[in-house]
Amino acid sequence: MDNLKTIRNGERVTPTFSKGEMTRRLDLLRHQMAAADIEAVLFTSYHNINYFADFLYCSFGRPYGLVVTADKSTSISANIDGGQPWRRGFADNLVYTDWRRGNYFEAVKTLVRDGARLGIEFDHMTLEARQKLAAALPKADFVDVAKAAMAQRMVKSPEEIQVIRNGARIADIGGAACREAIAVGVPEHEVALHSTGAMVREIARTYPQAELMDTWTWFQSGINTDGAHNPVTSRRIEAGDILSLNCFPMIAGYYTALERTLFAERASPRHLELWEVNCKVHRRGLELIRPGVRCRDIAEELNGIYQAHGLLQYRTFGYGHSFGVLCHYYGREAGLELREDIETVLAPGMVVSMEPMIMLPEGQPGAGGYREHDILIVGETGAENITGFPFGPEHNIVGG
Protein backbone atom coordinates (compact mmCIF):
# COMPACT_ATOMS: atom_id res chain seq x y z
CA MET A 1 0.00 0.00 0.00
CA ASP A 2 1.13 3.55 -0.72
CA ASN A 3 3.19 5.43 1.82
CA LEU A 4 2.43 8.77 0.16
CA LYS A 5 -0.42 9.88 -2.07
CA THR A 6 -2.34 12.88 -3.36
CA ILE A 7 -6.08 13.21 -2.77
CA ARG A 8 -7.69 15.94 -4.84
CA ASN A 9 -11.26 15.10 -3.96
CA GLY A 10 -13.94 17.56 -5.07
CA GLU A 11 -13.33 21.23 -5.86
CA ARG A 12 -11.46 23.95 -3.98
CA VAL A 13 -13.71 25.79 -1.55
CA THR A 14 -14.09 29.55 -1.17
CA PRO A 15 -11.01 30.58 0.83
CA THR A 16 -10.94 32.80 3.90
CA PHE A 17 -8.55 35.25 2.26
CA SER A 18 -7.92 36.40 -1.30
CA LYS A 19 -5.18 35.01 -3.51
CA GLY A 20 -3.48 38.39 -3.29
CA GLU A 21 -3.44 38.29 0.51
CA MET A 22 -2.04 34.77 0.71
CA THR A 23 0.57 35.56 -1.95
CA ARG A 24 1.60 38.65 0.02
CA ARG A 25 2.26 36.53 3.11
CA LEU A 26 4.32 33.99 1.19
CA ASP A 27 6.24 36.68 -0.70
CA LEU A 28 7.27 38.34 2.55
CA LEU A 29 8.30 34.98 4.01
CA ARG A 30 10.36 34.18 0.90
CA HIS A 31 12.06 37.56 1.09
CA GLN A 32 13.10 36.73 4.65
CA MET A 33 14.24 33.26 3.56
CA ALA A 34 16.42 34.71 0.81
CA ALA A 35 17.96 37.24 3.20
CA ALA A 36 18.85 34.43 5.64
CA ASP A 37 19.98 32.02 2.90
CA ILE A 38 17.23 29.53 3.82
CA GLU A 39 16.35 27.12 1.02
CA ALA A 40 13.14 25.77 2.54
CA VAL A 41 10.96 26.15 5.62
CA LEU A 42 9.06 23.37 7.36
CA PHE A 43 6.27 24.78 9.50
CA THR A 44 4.70 22.37 11.98
CA SER A 45 2.51 24.57 14.21
CA TYR A 46 -1.21 25.18 13.91
CA HIS A 47 -0.74 28.92 13.73
CA ASN A 48 1.91 29.11 11.01
CA ILE A 49 0.36 26.44 8.80
CA ASN A 50 -2.97 28.24 9.06
CA TYR A 51 -1.39 31.66 8.48
CA PHE A 52 0.59 30.66 5.40
CA ALA A 53 -1.79 28.05 3.93
CA ASP A 54 -5.30 28.88 5.24
CA PHE A 55 -5.56 25.32 6.57
CA LEU A 56 -6.21 24.51 10.23
CA TYR A 57 -5.33 20.91 10.93
CA CYS A 58 -6.68 18.50 13.57
CA SER A 59 -3.74 16.54 14.92
CA PHE A 60 -5.10 13.68 17.04
CA GLY A 61 -1.48 12.67 17.62
CA ARG A 62 -0.38 12.89 13.99
CA PRO A 63 2.16 15.47 12.78
CA TYR A 64 1.36 17.99 10.07
CA GLY A 65 3.51 20.32 8.06
CA LEU A 66 3.84 23.02 5.45
CA VAL A 67 6.95 23.14 3.30
CA VAL A 68 7.66 26.48 1.64
CA THR A 69 10.43 26.85 -0.93
CA ALA A 70 11.33 29.68 -3.27
CA ASP A 71 8.66 28.68 -5.76
CA LYS A 72 6.25 26.25 -4.08
CA SER A 73 4.27 25.61 -0.91
CA THR A 74 2.98 22.14 0.00
CA SER A 75 1.05 21.03 3.05
CA ILE A 76 1.65 17.59 4.54
CA SER A 77 -1.45 15.95 5.98
CA ALA A 78 -2.58 12.57 7.26
CA ASN A 79 -4.60 10.16 5.16
CA ILE A 80 -7.42 10.25 7.73
CA ASP A 81 -8.33 13.77 6.49
CA GLY A 82 -8.98 12.70 2.91
CA GLY A 83 -9.12 15.58 0.44
CA GLN A 84 -10.10 18.25 2.96
CA PRO A 85 -6.60 19.75 3.39
CA TRP A 86 -6.28 20.18 -0.39
CA ARG A 87 -9.81 21.58 -0.79
CA ARG A 88 -9.37 24.19 1.93
CA GLY A 89 -5.70 25.08 1.71
CA PHE A 90 -3.78 27.67 -0.28
CA ALA A 91 -1.08 25.16 -1.14
CA ASP A 92 -0.46 21.92 -2.91
CA ASN A 93 -0.93 18.91 -0.67
CA LEU A 94 0.91 15.66 -0.01
CA VAL A 95 -0.77 12.93 2.06
CA TYR A 96 1.04 10.36 4.18
CA THR A 97 -0.57 7.10 5.29
CA ASP A 98 -0.46 5.12 8.53
CA TRP A 99 0.71 1.91 6.84
CA ARG A 100 4.33 2.42 7.89
CA ARG A 101 5.72 4.35 10.84
CA GLY A 102 7.74 7.33 9.70
CA ASN A 103 5.79 8.11 6.55
CA TYR A 104 5.47 11.75 7.64
CA PHE A 105 9.22 12.15 7.39
CA GLU A 106 9.20 10.36 4.04
CA ALA A 107 6.87 13.13 2.88
CA VAL A 108 9.28 15.76 4.18
CA LYS A 109 12.16 14.07 2.33
CA THR A 110 10.28 14.32 -0.98
CA LEU A 111 9.88 18.08 -0.53
CA VAL A 112 13.17 19.13 1.09
CA ARG A 113 16.66 18.50 -0.30
CA ASP A 114 19.04 16.79 2.12
CA GLY A 115 21.81 19.27 2.76
CA ALA A 116 19.48 22.25 2.57
CA ARG A 117 19.51 25.07 5.07
CA LEU A 118 16.06 24.35 6.53
CA GLY A 119 13.99 26.69 8.66
CA ILE A 120 11.95 25.07 11.43
CA GLU A 121 10.06 26.27 14.51
CA PHE A 122 12.31 25.71 17.50
CA ASP A 123 9.46 26.63 19.87
CA HIS A 124 7.09 24.02 18.46
CA MET A 125 8.99 20.97 17.27
CA THR A 126 9.47 18.37 19.99
CA LEU A 127 12.85 16.86 20.75
CA GLU A 128 11.67 13.53 19.34
CA ALA A 129 10.46 15.15 16.11
CA ARG A 130 13.72 17.09 15.79
CA GLN A 131 15.71 13.87 16.14
CA LYS A 132 13.59 12.09 13.53
CA LEU A 133 13.91 15.03 11.16
CA ALA A 134 17.69 14.97 11.58
CA ALA A 135 17.69 11.25 10.81
CA ALA A 136 15.62 11.84 7.67
CA LEU A 137 17.81 14.78 6.53
CA PRO A 138 21.22 14.09 8.08
CA LYS A 139 23.03 16.74 6.01
CA ALA A 140 20.52 19.53 6.62
CA ASP A 141 21.32 22.66 8.60
CA PHE A 142 18.39 23.59 10.86
CA VAL A 143 17.71 27.25 11.69
CA ASP A 144 14.93 28.82 13.72
CA VAL A 145 12.22 30.78 11.86
CA ALA A 146 9.61 30.93 14.63
CA LYS A 147 10.42 34.44 15.85
CA ALA A 148 10.60 35.91 12.35
CA ALA A 149 7.27 34.33 11.43
CA MET A 150 5.74 35.66 14.66
CA ALA A 151 6.95 39.17 13.86
CA GLN A 152 5.29 38.94 10.45
CA ARG A 153 2.01 37.73 11.95
CA MET A 154 1.92 40.54 14.52
CA VAL A 155 1.13 43.19 11.87
CA LYS A 156 -2.29 42.50 10.39
CA SER A 157 -3.38 43.15 6.81
CA PRO A 158 -6.69 44.88 5.98
CA GLU A 159 -8.24 41.48 5.20
CA GLU A 160 -7.17 40.08 8.55
CA ILE A 161 -8.48 43.14 10.36
CA GLN A 162 -11.86 42.68 8.70
CA VAL A 163 -12.04 39.11 10.04
CA ILE A 164 -11.08 40.40 13.50
CA ARG A 165 -13.74 43.13 13.30
CA ASN A 166 -16.37 40.53 12.54
CA GLY A 167 -15.05 38.40 15.38
CA ALA A 168 -15.38 41.28 17.85
CA ARG A 169 -18.91 41.97 16.63
CA ILE A 170 -19.84 38.30 17.04
CA ALA A 171 -18.27 38.23 20.52
CA ASP A 172 -20.63 41.08 21.45
CA ILE A 173 -23.53 38.95 20.23
CA GLY A 174 -22.29 36.12 22.43
CA GLY A 175 -22.06 38.53 25.36
CA ALA A 176 -25.64 39.66 24.89
CA ALA A 177 -26.81 36.04 24.77
CA CYS A 178 -24.79 35.26 27.87
CA ARG A 179 -26.30 38.17 29.77
CA GLU A 180 -29.76 37.13 28.61
CA ALA A 181 -29.31 33.66 30.10
CA ILE A 182 -27.96 34.78 33.50
CA ALA A 183 -30.31 34.24 36.44
CA VAL A 184 -30.07 32.91 39.96
CA GLY A 185 -30.32 29.11 39.90
CA VAL A 186 -29.09 28.71 36.30
CA PRO A 187 -25.97 26.52 35.95
CA GLU A 188 -22.84 27.91 34.29
CA HIS A 189 -22.98 25.46 31.40
CA GLU A 190 -26.46 26.54 30.34
CA VAL A 191 -25.36 30.16 30.13
CA ALA A 192 -22.31 29.14 28.13
CA LEU A 193 -24.29 26.97 25.72
CA HIS A 194 -26.71 29.80 24.98
CA SER A 195 -23.83 32.16 24.24
CA THR A 196 -21.85 29.73 22.11
CA GLY A 197 -24.89 28.80 20.03
CA ALA A 198 -25.58 32.45 19.23
CA MET A 199 -21.99 32.99 18.09
CA VAL A 200 -21.78 29.85 15.96
CA ARG A 201 -25.00 30.77 14.16
CA GLU A 202 -23.71 34.25 13.38
CA ILE A 203 -20.36 32.92 12.14
CA ALA A 204 -22.27 30.55 9.82
CA ARG A 205 -24.37 33.44 8.53
CA THR A 206 -21.38 35.75 8.00
CA TYR A 207 -18.98 33.12 6.62
CA PRO A 208 -21.12 30.42 4.99
CA GLN A 209 -18.03 28.84 3.42
CA ALA A 210 -16.17 28.45 6.72
CA GLU A 211 -15.62 25.42 8.89
CA LEU A 212 -17.44 25.89 12.18
CA MET A 213 -15.02 24.81 14.86
CA ASP A 214 -13.55 25.85 18.20
CA THR A 215 -15.93 28.68 19.17
CA TRP A 216 -16.54 28.51 22.92
CA THR A 217 -17.67 30.35 26.04
CA TRP A 218 -16.22 30.25 29.52
CA PHE A 219 -18.85 31.49 31.94
CA GLN A 220 -17.65 31.43 35.54
CA SER A 221 -19.41 32.18 38.82
CA GLY A 222 -18.32 32.67 42.42
CA ILE A 223 -15.04 30.99 43.27
CA ASN A 224 -14.70 29.80 39.68
CA THR A 225 -13.90 33.37 38.62
CA ASP A 226 -10.45 33.15 40.24
CA GLY A 227 -8.81 31.95 37.00
CA ALA A 228 -9.19 33.57 33.59
CA HIS A 229 -9.11 30.18 31.85
CA ASN A 230 -11.23 28.13 34.25
CA PRO A 231 -13.57 25.79 32.34
CA VAL A 232 -17.34 25.86 32.61
CA THR A 233 -18.89 23.78 35.39
CA SER A 234 -22.44 22.88 36.45
CA ARG A 235 -22.30 25.25 39.44
CA ARG A 236 -25.55 27.21 39.78
CA ILE A 237 -25.56 30.98 40.05
CA GLU A 238 -26.34 32.36 43.50
CA ALA A 239 -27.55 35.84 44.42
CA GLY A 240 -24.60 38.15 45.02
CA ASP A 241 -22.21 36.03 42.94
CA ILE A 242 -19.40 37.66 41.04
CA LEU A 243 -19.56 36.43 37.43
CA SER A 244 -17.12 36.30 34.51
CA LEU A 245 -18.37 36.39 30.94
CA ASN A 246 -15.82 35.10 28.39
CA CYS A 247 -16.93 34.74 24.76
CA PHE A 248 -14.53 33.42 22.11
CA PRO A 249 -15.72 33.20 18.51
CA MET A 250 -13.26 31.46 16.19
CA ILE A 251 -13.28 32.26 12.48
CA ALA A 252 -10.85 30.20 10.37
CA GLY A 253 -8.46 29.99 13.31
CA TYR A 254 -8.69 33.71 14.09
CA TYR A 255 -9.43 34.30 17.75
CA THR A 256 -11.39 37.20 19.19
CA ALA A 257 -12.72 37.69 22.70
CA LEU A 258 -15.12 39.55 24.96
CA GLU A 259 -14.59 39.35 28.72
CA ARG A 260 -16.63 41.15 31.37
CA THR A 261 -17.21 41.18 35.12
CA LEU A 262 -20.87 40.95 36.18
CA PHE A 263 -22.81 40.31 39.38
CA ALA A 264 -25.99 38.37 40.01
CA GLU A 265 -28.65 40.72 41.44
CA ARG A 266 -26.36 42.64 43.80
CA ALA A 267 -22.76 43.44 44.70
CA SER A 268 -21.37 44.20 48.15
CA PRO A 269 -19.74 47.59 48.82
CA ARG A 270 -16.26 46.02 48.77
CA HIS A 271 -17.01 44.19 45.52
CA LEU A 272 -18.14 47.48 43.97
CA GLU A 273 -15.01 49.25 45.21
CA LEU A 274 -12.70 46.65 43.69
CA TRP A 275 -14.69 46.52 40.47
CA GLU A 276 -14.44 50.29 40.09
CA VAL A 277 -10.67 50.20 40.55
CA ASN A 278 -10.31 47.53 37.88
CA CYS A 279 -12.51 49.58 35.54
CA LYS A 280 -10.29 52.60 36.25
CA VAL A 281 -7.24 50.60 35.20
CA HIS A 282 -9.09 49.39 32.13
CA ARG A 283 -10.07 52.91 31.03
CA ARG A 284 -6.54 54.18 31.44
CA GLY A 285 -5.18 51.20 29.55
CA LEU A 286 -7.49 51.95 26.63
CA GLU A 287 -6.08 55.47 26.53
CA LEU A 288 -2.47 54.27 26.54
CA ILE A 289 -2.73 52.00 23.49
CA ARG A 290 -1.46 54.00 20.52
CA PRO A 291 1.40 53.79 18.00
CA GLY A 292 4.89 54.46 19.29
CA VAL A 293 4.29 53.22 22.84
CA ARG A 294 6.31 50.34 24.28
CA CYS A 295 4.39 47.40 25.70
CA ARG A 296 6.37 47.50 28.93
CA ASP A 297 5.60 51.18 29.51
CA ILE A 298 1.86 50.49 29.42
CA ALA A 299 2.25 47.72 31.98
CA GLU A 300 4.37 49.83 34.30
CA GLU A 301 1.95 52.79 34.32
CA LEU A 302 -1.04 50.56 35.02
CA ASN A 303 0.87 48.86 37.81
CA GLY A 304 1.05 52.27 39.45
CA ILE A 305 -2.75 52.55 39.62
CA TYR A 306 -3.11 49.17 41.28
CA GLN A 307 -0.28 50.00 43.65
CA ALA A 308 -1.92 53.27 44.69
CA HIS A 309 -4.99 51.27 45.75
CA GLY A 310 -2.98 48.53 47.50
CA LEU A 311 -3.99 45.93 44.90
CA LEU A 312 -0.88 45.29 42.81
CA GLN A 313 -0.22 41.98 44.56
CA TYR A 314 -3.59 40.73 43.32
CA ARG A 315 -2.83 41.31 39.64
CA THR A 316 -3.13 38.02 37.75
CA PHE A 317 -1.38 38.30 34.33
CA GLY A 318 -0.25 40.76 31.65
CA TYR A 319 -2.48 43.61 30.55
CA GLY A 320 -3.17 42.42 27.02
CA HIS A 321 -1.96 40.47 24.02
CA SER A 322 -1.96 40.28 20.24
CA PHE A 323 -4.79 38.89 18.14
CA GLY A 324 -4.72 36.76 15.01
CA VAL A 325 -4.19 33.03 14.52
CA LEU A 326 -4.30 31.67 18.06
CA CYS A 327 -6.52 29.59 20.29
CA HIS A 328 -6.82 28.13 23.78
CA TYR A 329 -4.85 25.06 22.73
CA TYR A 330 -2.37 26.49 20.25
CA GLY A 331 -0.56 29.59 19.17
CA ARG A 332 0.57 32.84 20.73
CA GLU A 333 2.33 35.98 19.55
CA ALA A 334 4.46 36.35 22.65
CA GLY A 335 6.35 39.33 21.27
CA LEU A 336 3.24 41.51 21.48
CA GLU A 337 2.02 41.29 25.06
CA LEU A 338 1.51 44.17 27.45
CA ARG A 339 3.98 43.05 30.10
CA GLU A 340 6.97 44.53 31.89
CA ASP A 341 9.43 42.32 29.97
CA ILE A 342 8.22 43.13 26.43
CA GLU A 343 10.09 45.88 24.56
CA THR A 344 7.93 45.79 21.40
CA VAL A 345 6.73 49.20 20.22
CA LEU A 346 3.09 49.36 19.09
CA ALA A 347 2.73 50.10 15.37
CA PRO A 348 -0.10 50.56 12.87
CA GLY A 349 -1.69 47.25 11.91
CA MET A 350 -1.19 45.62 15.28
CA VAL A 351 -4.27 44.42 17.14
CA VAL A 352 -4.12 44.10 20.91
CA SER A 353 -6.38 43.65 23.90
CA MET A 354 -6.63 45.64 27.08
CA GLU A 355 -7.60 43.20 29.83
CA PRO A 356 -6.61 44.00 33.40
CA MET A 357 -7.45 41.39 36.03
CA ILE A 358 -7.16 41.18 39.78
CA MET A 359 -8.14 38.24 41.97
CA LEU A 360 -8.83 38.28 45.70
CA PRO A 361 -8.95 34.81 47.28
CA GLU A 362 -11.85 33.32 49.19
CA GLY A 363 -12.22 34.57 52.74
CA GLN A 364 -11.37 38.18 51.90
CA PRO A 365 -14.02 40.90 51.48
CA GLY A 366 -14.73 41.28 47.77
CA ALA A 367 -13.30 37.87 46.90
CA GLY A 368 -13.32 36.85 43.26
CA GLY A 369 -11.75 37.59 39.89
CA TYR A 370 -12.38 40.93 38.14
CA ARG A 371 -11.59 41.25 34.45
CA GLU A 372 -12.58 43.51 31.56
CA HIS A 373 -11.42 42.97 27.97
CA ASP A 374 -11.60 45.12 24.83
CA ILE A 375 -9.91 44.73 21.42
CA LEU A 376 -8.11 47.67 19.81
CA ILE A 377 -6.73 48.16 16.31
CA VAL A 378 -3.62 50.35 16.33
CA GLY A 379 -3.72 52.99 13.59
CA GLU A 380 -1.47 55.79 12.37
CA THR A 381 -2.36 58.25 15.13
CA GLY A 382 -4.29 56.31 17.76
CA ALA A 383 -6.26 53.13 18.30
CA GLU A 384 -9.82 52.05 17.50
CA ASN A 385 -11.76 50.08 20.08
CA ILE A 386 -13.88 47.52 18.22
CA THR A 387 -15.55 46.02 21.32
CA GLY A 388 -19.05 47.35 21.90
CA PHE A 389 -20.33 45.49 24.96
CA PRO A 390 -20.47 47.88 27.97
CA PHE A 391 -18.51 47.35 31.17
CA GLY A 392 -18.80 48.44 34.78
CA PRO A 393 -21.35 48.39 37.64
CA GLU A 394 -23.86 50.67 35.92
CA HIS A 395 -24.31 48.06 33.16
CA ASN A 396 -23.56 44.60 34.46
CA ILE A 397 -25.43 43.89 37.69
CA VAL A 398 -27.93 41.44 36.26
CA GLY A 399 -31.41 40.99 37.76
CA GLY A 400 -32.56 42.05 41.18
Side-chain angles (χ1 to χ4, degrees):
M1 295 191 290
D2 293 335
N3 295 327
L4 305 174
K5 61 172 71 174
T6 57
I7 305 177
R8 296 185 175 179
N9 192 32
E11 302 294 330
R12 296 270 197 179
V13 302
T14 302
T16 309
F17 300 102
S18 69
K19 180 179 180 180
E21 165 65 11
M22 297 305 297
T23 300
R24 179 196 68 81
R25 299 180 188 187
L26 288 166
D27 285 349
L28 182 54
L29 171 65
R30 286 171 174 141
H31 176 77
Q32 295 171 335
M33 290 167 60
D37 194 28
I38 295 173
E39 182 176 321
V41 168
L42 170 62
F43 289 119
T44 52
S45 67
Y46 290 98
H47 39 280
N48 277 322
I49 292 175
N50 193 45
Y51 182 79
F52 289 106
D54 197 18
F55 166 56
L56 190 61
Y57 66 80
C58 178
S59 175
F60 264 105
R62 295 177 173 88
Y64 285 71
L66 175 69
V67 173
V68 180
T69 63
D71 58 3
K72 192 173 183 181
S73 62
T74 307
S75 62
I76 302 172
S77 61
N79 193 40
I80 195 170
D81 294 329
Q84 182 254 14
W86 176 80
R87 286 195 304 275
R88 300 209 70 91
F90 186 78
D92 201 357
N93 176 247
L94 182 61
V95 174
Y96 72 93
T97 68
D98 288 346
W99 315 143
R100 187 172 65 87
R101 192 172 298 277
N103 280 347
Y104 171 82
F105 294 98
E106 289 299 315
V108 173
K109 286 170 63 175
T110 69
L111 300 171
V112 178
R113 180 183 67 85
D114 192 12
R117 185 170 162 84
L118 177 63
I120 61 174
E121 297 170 78
F122 282 16
D123 64 354
H124 183 267
M125 186 170 286
T126 65
L127 178 60
E128 180 184 39
R130 173 78 174 267
Q131 291 170 339
K132 289 181 177 179
L133 183 63
L137 301 171
K139 299 177 183 178
D141 179 22
F142 302 128
V143 295
D144 184 33
V145 295
K147 291 182 177 62
M150 177 183 67
Q152 179 176 340
R153 298 196 319 271
M154 288 194 314
V155 179
K156 271 58 184 179
S157 70
E159 289 192 27
E160 288 181 281
I161 287 174
Q162 183 56 40
V163 170
I164 293 169
R165 285 184 185 278
N166 275 325
R169 175 181 61 82
I170 292 167
D172 285 344
I173 290 172
C178 193
R179 198 182 192 283
E180 178 182 73
I182 291 171
V184 170
V186 175
E188 292 176 358
H189 69 271
E190 290 295 342
V191 177
L193 286 169
H194 190 59
S195 170
T196 301
M199 291 190 289
V200 169
R201 292 184 185 98
E202 183 59 18
I203 294 171
R205 188 193 69 80
T206 306
Y207 294 96
Q209 78 281 5
E211 295 175 325
L212 301 172
M213 57 186 292
D214 298 331
T215 293
W216 83 105
T217 300
W218 282 326
F219 176 75
Q220 302 139 350
S221 63
I223 194 171
N224 293 336
T225 65
D226 67 344
H229 297 163
N230 292 351
V232 168
T233 74
S234 58
R235 182 186 184 277
R236 294 180 181 272
I237 299 170
E238 299 176 7
D241 268 350
I242 186 171
L243 311 171
S244 286
L245 174 161
N246 308 268
C247 299
F248 306 108
M250 293 291 293
I251 303 168
Y254 276 72
Y255 164 102
T256 47
L258 168 69
E259 301 171 14
R260 288 289 183 260
T261 301
L262 308 95
F263 278 81
E265 296 189 352
R266 62 180 183 269
S268 74
R270 181 56 174 163
H271 279 110
L272 287 172
E273 180 184 1
L274 293 166
W275 194 5
E276 290 284 12
V277 172
N278 208 53
C279 288
K280 179 180 180 180
V281 173
H282 186 57
R283 292 187 185 97
R284 181 55 182 155
L286 295 174
E287 295 171 350
L288 291 173
I289 294 175
R290 59 185 186 274
V293 177
R294 286 191 307 176
C295 292
R296 64 172 297 172
D297 294 336
I298 294 173
E300 287 171 356
E301 178 167 338
L302 297 181
N303 280 347
I305 302 176
Y306 279 138
Q307 190 168 29
H309 290 274
L311 296 172
L312 184 57
Q313 69 270 32
Y314 299 117
R315 183 186 145 201
T316 302
F317 51 78
Y319 288 101
H321 59 80
S322 181
F323 282 81
V325 181
L326 60 115
C327 189
H328 57 317
Y329 58 81
Y330 65 83
R332 192 177 185 90
E333 293 171 6
L336 186 51
E337 296 190 9
L338 306 182
R339 300 186 344 183
E340 297 86 343
D341 57 350
I342 302 295
E343 299 283 348
T344 303
V345 176
L346 297 182
M350 292 179 173
V351 183
V352 296
S353 62
M354 172 48 56
E355 50 176 312
M357 179 177 176
I358 54 173
M359 189 280 286
L360 276 73
E362 285 293 291
Q364 292 195 25
Y370 302 76
R371 183 170 68 263
E372 313 297 341
H373 178 296
D374 288 28
I375 301 172
L376 295 96
I377 300 169
V378 180
E380 295 293 334
T381 59
E384 178 189 0
N385 189 338
I386 59 173
T387 296
F389 196 93
F391 65 90
E394 62 271 32
H395 302 290
N396 290 327
I397 297 177
V398 183

